[in-house]
Amino acid sequence: MTAFSGAITALVTPFRNGAVDEAAFEALVERQIAAGTHGLVPVGTTGESATLTDEEHEKVVRLCVKVANGRVPVIGGAGSNETAYSISMAQRLQDTGVDAILSVTGYYNRPSQAGLLAHYTALHDATNIPIIIYNIPARTVVGLSRETMAALSKLDRIVGVKDATGDLARVAVQRRECGKKFVQLSGEDMTAVGFNAMGGVGCISVTSNVAPELCAKMQEACLNDDYVTARELQDRLAPLHDALFTDASPGPVKYAMSLMGLCTDELRLPMVAPSDASKAKVKAALSELGLIG
């Protein structure tokens, strides 16, 4: 089974004049791989999955798989608050050649723990591909309890979690309850180094869209237990981590990338451009890292 660790970029989906900018997306994938990124997540929530049509969703994932060409793992976003739709999307994505799918906990419905267990079990049983759970209660309202996570970890192809709870103590407990082979990936850039120190093995990162080389080096330092280097890199990246979440994501990260000439800053409603205060922080952070003049 493919290993999932290190700096894994939650790719933005670039738009131009309202349509997916395929040429820009291909260039972004190549840039990531050249910078040493360890994996890619197309059409996750950072990729504005909620605003893409099914056709666009599949096209972007296929494009990522094609350009990556086996050089790094590709984890396709396939989450929904409807189990039947999640299964349908996961089944379609597994035919694209992705190495795994990332599936978020059900939002709005507020399912119980029994409902979440049933949802992921059904998704597991209807597919033949590794599944990484995305646990982000700040956005979905509901989160997986440790007991539910432990039960799901016993299923053959539920291989890990993207944990955006911000609870670092949870990492150590999940390591005990789910086993050392259960992949724990941070879903929060600012605490990624601490997450790894507690037992994580990487981060599905927004910041690595902007600074992939630094993020990859930081994660490699963690994987090598070189936390002196990891902290130094984290210190350098901290203002950028902070700036990219001063407004609703992915607004600030797309703005940053537009300043770097990587893509436009176009978003799809209901997402709108970040505030002037957010833009100022993004500019300052990019300047400090030498990413813009």
Side-chain angles (χ1 to χ4, degrees), residues 80-82 104-112 116 136-142:
S80 171
N81 65 334
E82 181 192 7
V104 71
T105 51
Y107 42 87
Y108 186 78
N109 297 345
R110 299 181 67 183
S112 65
L116 289 168
I136 180 167
R139 286 208 175 195
T140 63
V141 182
V142 297

PDB file of all heavy atoms in Angstrom, residues 80-82 104-112 116 136-142:
ATOM      1  N   SER A  80     -18.912  14.093   1.259  1.00  0.00           N
ATOM      2  CA  SER A  80     -20.248  14.675   1.151  1.00  0.00           C
ATOM      3  C   SER A  80     -21.002  14.387   2.435  1.00  0.00           C
ATOM      4  O   SER A  80     -20.605  13.521   3.225  1.00  0.00           O
ATOM      5  CB  SER A  80     -20.993  14.074  -0.044  1.00  0.00           C
ATOM      6  OG  SER A  80     -22.346  14.469  -0.052  1.00  0.00           O
ATOM      7  N   ASN A  81     -22.119  15.103   2.641  1.00  0.00           N
ATOM      8  CA  ASN A  81     -22.965  14.797   3.789  1.00  0.00           C
ATOM      9  C   ASN A  81     -24.042  13.787   3.432  1.00  0.00           C
ATOM     10  O   ASN A  81     -24.913  13.499   4.243  1.00  0.00           O
ATOM     11  CB  ASN A  81     -23.604  16.076   4.347  1.00  0.00           C
ATOM     12  CG  ASN A  81     -24.562  16.720   3.367  1.00  0.00           C
ATOM     13  OD1 ASN A  81     -24.436  16.550   2.164  1.00  0.00           O
ATOM     14  ND2 ASN A  81     -25.516  17.474   3.877  1.00  0.00           N
ATOM     15  N   GLU A  82     -23.964  13.242   2.218  1.00  0.00           N
ATOM     16  CA  GLU A  82     -24.875  12.173   1.811  1.00  0.00           C
ATOM     17  C   GLU A  82     -24.055  10.932   1.494  1.00  0.00           C
ATOM     18  O   GLU A  82     -23.181  10.957   0.623  1.00  0.00           O
ATOM     19  CB  GLU A  82     -25.682  12.582   0.572  1.00  0.00           C
ATOM     20  CG  GLU A  82     -26.652  11.509   0.128  1.00  0.00           C
ATOM     21  CD  GLU A  82     -27.249  11.781  -1.242  1.00  0.00           C
ATOM     22  OE1 GLU A  82     -26.824  12.731  -1.915  1.00  0.00           O
ATOM     23  OE2 GLU A  82     -28.142  11.021  -1.647  1.00  0.00           O
ATOM     24  N   VAL A 104     -14.587  13.740   4.070  1.00  0.00           N
ATOM     25  CA  VAL A 104     -14.888  14.555   5.241  1.00  0.00           C
ATOM     26  C   VAL A 104     -16.099  14.016   5.992  1.00  0.00           C
ATOM     27  O   VAL A 104     -16.977  13.376   5.401  1.00  0.00           O
ATOM     28  CB  VAL A 104     -15.129  16.027   4.814  1.00  0.00           C
ATOM     29  CG1 VAL A 104     -16.435  16.181   4.056  1.00  0.00           C
ATOM     30  CG2 VAL A 104     -15.038  16.984   5.992  1.00  0.00           C
ATOM     31  N   THR A 105     -16.149  14.284   7.290  1.00  0.00           N
ATOM     32  CA  THR A 105     -17.312  13.895   8.096  1.00  0.00           C
ATOM     33  C   THR A 105     -18.545  14.676   7.617  1.00  0.00           C
ATOM     34  O   THR A 105     -18.436  15.799   7.133  1.00  0.00           O
ATOM     35  CB  THR A 105     -17.075  14.191   9.585  1.00  0.00           C
ATOM     36  OG1 THR A 105     -16.636  15.552   9.724  1.00  0.00           O
ATOM     37  CG2 THR A 105     -16.034  13.261  10.168  1.00  0.00           C
ATOM     38  N   GLY A 106     -19.734  14.078   7.774  1.00  0.00           N
ATOM     39  CA  GLY A 106     -20.963  14.669   7.267  1.00  0.00           C
ATOM     40  C   GLY A 106     -21.272  16.016   7.888  1.00  0.00           C
ATOM     41  O   GLY A 106     -21.395  16.135   9.110  1.00  0.00           O
ATOM     42  N   TYR A 107     -21.401  17.040   7.064  1.00  0.00           N
ATOM     43  CA  TYR A 107     -21.697  18.390   7.538  1.00  0.00           C
ATOM     44  C   TYR A 107     -23.211  18.643   7.487  1.00  0.00           C
ATOM     45  O   TYR A 107     -23.956  17.965   6.784  1.00  0.00           O
ATOM     46  CB  TYR A 107     -20.967  19.429   6.680  1.00  0.00           C
ATOM     47  CG  TYR A 107     -20.996  19.127   5.194  1.00  0.00           C
ATOM     48  CD1 TYR A 107     -22.037  19.553   4.396  1.00  0.00           C
ATOM     49  CD2 TYR A 107     -19.970  18.373   4.613  1.00  0.00           C
ATOM     50  CE1 TYR A 107     -22.077  19.254   3.046  1.00  0.00           C
ATOM     51  CE2 TYR A 107     -19.993  18.075   3.262  1.00  0.00           C
ATOM     52  CZ  TYR A 107     -21.048  18.511   2.480  1.00  0.00           C
ATOM     53  OH  TYR A 107     -21.081  18.192   1.140  1.00  0.00           O
ATOM     54  N   TYR A 108     -23.664  19.589   8.222  1.00  0.00           N
ATOM     55  CA  TYR A 108     -25.050  20.055   8.319  1.00  0.00           C
ATOM     56  C   TYR A 108     -25.985  19.024   8.947  1.00  0.00           C
ATOM     57  O   TYR A 108     -26.775  19.342   9.825  1.00  0.00           O
ATOM     58  CB  TYR A 108     -25.614  20.497   6.953  1.00  0.00           C
ATOM     59  CG  TYR A 108     -26.990  21.121   7.094  1.00  0.00           C
ATOM     60  CD1 TYR A 108     -27.123  22.425   7.554  1.00  0.00           C
ATOM     61  CD2 TYR A 108     -28.140  20.401   6.815  1.00  0.00           C
ATOM     62  CE1 TYR A 108     -28.371  22.999   7.726  1.00  0.00           C
ATOM     63  CE2 TYR A 108     -29.398  20.957   6.984  1.00  0.00           C
ATOM     64  CZ  TYR A 108     -29.509  22.252   7.438  1.00  0.00           C
ATOM     65  OH  TYR A 108     -30.750  22.812   7.615  1.00  0.00           O
ATOM     66  N   ASN A 109     -25.935  17.774   8.492  1.00  0.00           N
ATOM     67  CA  ASN A 109     -26.841  16.744   9.028  1.00  0.00           C
ATOM     68  C   ASN A 109     -26.632  16.488  10.516  1.00  0.00           C
ATOM     69  O   ASN A 109     -27.538  16.008  11.192  1.00  0.00           O
ATOM     70  CB  ASN A 109     -26.635  15.405   8.296  1.00  0.00           C
ATOM     71  CG  ASN A 109     -26.984  15.496   6.830  1.00  0.00           C
ATOM     72  OD1 ASN A 109     -27.630  16.432   6.399  1.00  0.00           O
ATOM     73  ND2 ASN A 109     -26.540  14.519   6.062  1.00  0.00           N
ATOM     74  N   ARG A 110     -25.422  16.754  10.985  1.00  0.00           N
ATOM     75  CA  ARG A 110     -25.045  16.493  12.381  1.00  0.00           C
ATOM     76  C   ARG A 110     -25.317  15.045  12.780  1.00  0.00           C
ATOM     77  O   ARG A 110     -26.016  14.767  13.753  1.00  0.00           O
ATOM     78  CB  ARG A 110     -25.775  17.449  13.327  1.00  0.00           C
ATOM     79  CG  ARG A 110     -25.449  18.914  13.084  1.00  0.00           C
ATOM     80  CD  ARG A 110     -26.165  19.829  14.045  1.00  0.00           C
ATOM     81  NE  ARG A 110     -25.669  19.641  15.407  1.00  0.00           N
ATOM     82  CZ  ARG A 110     -26.176  20.275  16.462  1.00  0.00           C
ATOM     83  NH1 ARG A 110     -27.187  21.118  16.313  1.00  0.00           N
ATOM     84  NH2 ARG A 110     -25.669  20.061  17.657  1.00  0.00           N
ATOM     85  N   PRO A 111     -24.743  14.078  12.050  1.00  0.00           N
ATOM     86  CA  PRO A 111     -24.976  12.678  12.390  1.00  0.00           C
ATOM     87  C   PRO A 111     -24.386  12.320  13.749  1.00  0.00           C
ATOM     88  O   PRO A 111     -23.418  12.931  14.210  1.00  0.00           O
ATOM     89  CB  PRO A 111     -24.269  11.907  11.273  1.00  0.00           C
ATOM     90  CG  PRO A 111     -23.233  12.864  10.762  1.00  0.00           C
ATOM     91  CD  PRO A 111     -23.852  14.219  10.892  1.00  0.00           C
ATOM     92  N   SER A 112     -24.988  11.324  14.378  1.00  0.00           N
ATOM     93  CA  SER A 112     -24.468  10.798  15.641  1.00  0.00           C
ATOM     94  C   SER A 112     -23.205   9.994  15.370  1.00  0.00           C
ATOM     95  O   SER A 112     -22.842   9.736  14.215  1.00  0.00           O
ATOM     96  CB  SER A 112     -25.518   9.902  16.291  1.00  0.00           C
ATOM     97  OG  SER A 112     -25.744   8.755  15.477  1.00  0.00           O
ATOM     98  N   LEU A 116     -21.981   8.247  11.914  1.00  0.00           N
ATOM     99  CA  LEU A 116     -20.664   8.389  11.306  1.00  0.00           C
ATOM    100  C   LEU A 116     -20.002   7.030  11.089  1.00  0.00           C
ATOM    101  O   LEU A 116     -19.370   6.784  10.052  1.00  0.00           O
ATOM    102  CB  LEU A 116     -19.773   9.268  12.187  1.00  0.00           C
ATOM    103  CG  LEU A 116     -20.143  10.756  12.227  1.00  0.00           C
ATOM    104  CD1 LEU A 116     -19.380  11.460  13.343  1.00  0.00           C
ATOM    105  CD2 LEU A 116     -19.864  11.414  10.886  1.00  0.00           C
ATOM    106  N   ILE A 136     -12.840  17.520  10.783  1.00  0.00           N
ATOM    107  CA  ILE A 136     -12.716  18.975  10.944  1.00  0.00           C
ATOM    108  C   ILE A 136     -14.010  19.537  11.525  1.00  0.00           C
ATOM    109  O   ILE A 136     -14.816  20.165  10.844  1.00  0.00           O
ATOM    110  CB  ILE A 136     -12.332  19.648   9.606  1.00  0.00           C
ATOM    111  CG1 ILE A 136     -12.201  21.164   9.787  1.00  0.00           C
ATOM    112  CG2 ILE A 136     -13.293  19.257   8.474  1.00  0.00           C
ATOM    113  CD1 ILE A 136     -11.535  21.890   8.652  1.00  0.00           C
ATOM    114  N   PRO A 137     -14.228  19.307  12.813  1.00  0.00           N
ATOM    115  CA  PRO A 137     -15.491  19.713  13.436  1.00  0.00           C
ATOM    116  C   PRO A 137     -15.775  21.214  13.384  1.00  0.00           C
ATOM    117  O   PRO A 137     -16.940  21.613  13.434  1.00  0.00           O
ATOM    118  CB  PRO A 137     -15.350  19.224  14.879  1.00  0.00           C
ATOM    119  CG  PRO A 137     -13.895  18.971  15.085  1.00  0.00           C
ATOM    120  CD  PRO A 137     -13.346  18.581  13.751  1.00  0.00           C
ATOM    121  N   ALA A 138     -14.756  22.043  13.244  1.00  0.00           N
ATOM    122  CA  ALA A 138     -14.993  23.488  13.170  1.00  0.00           C
ATOM    123  C   ALA A 138     -15.818  23.850  11.939  1.00  0.00           C
ATOM    124  O   ALA A 138     -16.552  24.841  11.946  1.00  0.00           O
ATOM    125  CB  ALA A 138     -13.662  24.237  13.146  1.00  0.00           C
ATOM    126  N   ARG A 139     -15.710  23.059  10.889  1.00  0.00           N
ATOM    127  CA  ARG A 139     -16.474  23.326   9.670  1.00  0.00           C
ATOM    128  C   ARG A 139     -17.700  22.435   9.528  1.00  0.00           C
ATOM    129  O   ARG A 139     -18.680  22.822   8.898  1.00  0.00           O
ATOM    130  CB  ARG A 139     -15.573  23.158   8.435  1.00  0.00           C
ATOM    131  CG  ARG A 139     -14.584  24.293   8.248  1.00  0.00           C
ATOM    132  CD  ARG A 139     -14.228  24.475   6.787  1.00  0.00           C
ATOM    133  NE  ARG A 139     -13.369  25.640   6.597  1.00  0.00           N
ATOM    134  CZ  ARG A 139     -13.147  26.196   5.406  1.00  0.00           C
ATOM    135  NH1 ARG A 139     -13.720  25.710   4.324  1.00  0.00           N
ATOM    136  NH2 ARG A 139     -12.354  27.240   5.303  1.00  0.00           N
ATOM    137  N   THR A 140     -17.635  21.231  10.049  1.00  0.00           N
ATOM    138  CA  THR A 140     -18.743  20.290   9.846  1.00  0.00           C
ATOM    139  C   THR A 140     -19.680  20.217  11.047  1.00  0.00           C
ATOM    140  O   THR A 140     -20.713  19.559  10.975  1.00  0.00           O
ATOM    141  CB  THR A 140     -18.213  18.878   9.547  1.00  0.00           C
ATOM    142  OG1 THR A 140     -17.473  18.407  10.678  1.00  0.00           O
ATOM    143  CG2 THR A 140     -17.321  18.873   8.316  1.00  0.00           C
ATOM    144  N   VAL A 141     -19.319  20.840  12.149  1.00  0.00           N
ATOM    145  CA  VAL A 141     -20.055  20.843  13.422  1.00  0.00           C
ATOM    146  C   VAL A 141     -19.856  19.533  14.176  1.00  0.00           C
ATOM    147  O   VAL A 141     -19.660  19.537  15.380  1.00  0.00           O
ATOM    148  CB  VAL A 141     -21.561  21.150  13.234  1.00  0.00           C
ATOM    149  CG1 VAL A 141     -22.270  21.196  14.591  1.00  0.00           C
ATOM    150  CG2 VAL A 141     -21.748  22.477  12.497  1.00  0.00           C
ATOM    151  N   VAL A 142     -19.891  18.401  13.483  1.00  0.00           N
ATOM    152  CA  VAL A 142     -19.690  17.120  14.161  1.00  0.00           C
ATOM    153  C   VAL A 142     -18.249  16.659  13.985  1.00  0.00           C
ATOM    154  O   VAL A 142     -17.587  17.000  13.007  1.00  0.00           O
ATOM    155  CB  VAL A 142     -20.632  16.026  13.611  1.00  0.00           C
ATOM    156  CG1 VAL A 142     -22.069  16.384  13.875  1.00  0.00           C
ATOM    157  CG2 VAL A 142     -20.389  15.791  12.138  1.00  0.00           C
TER     158      VAL A 142
END
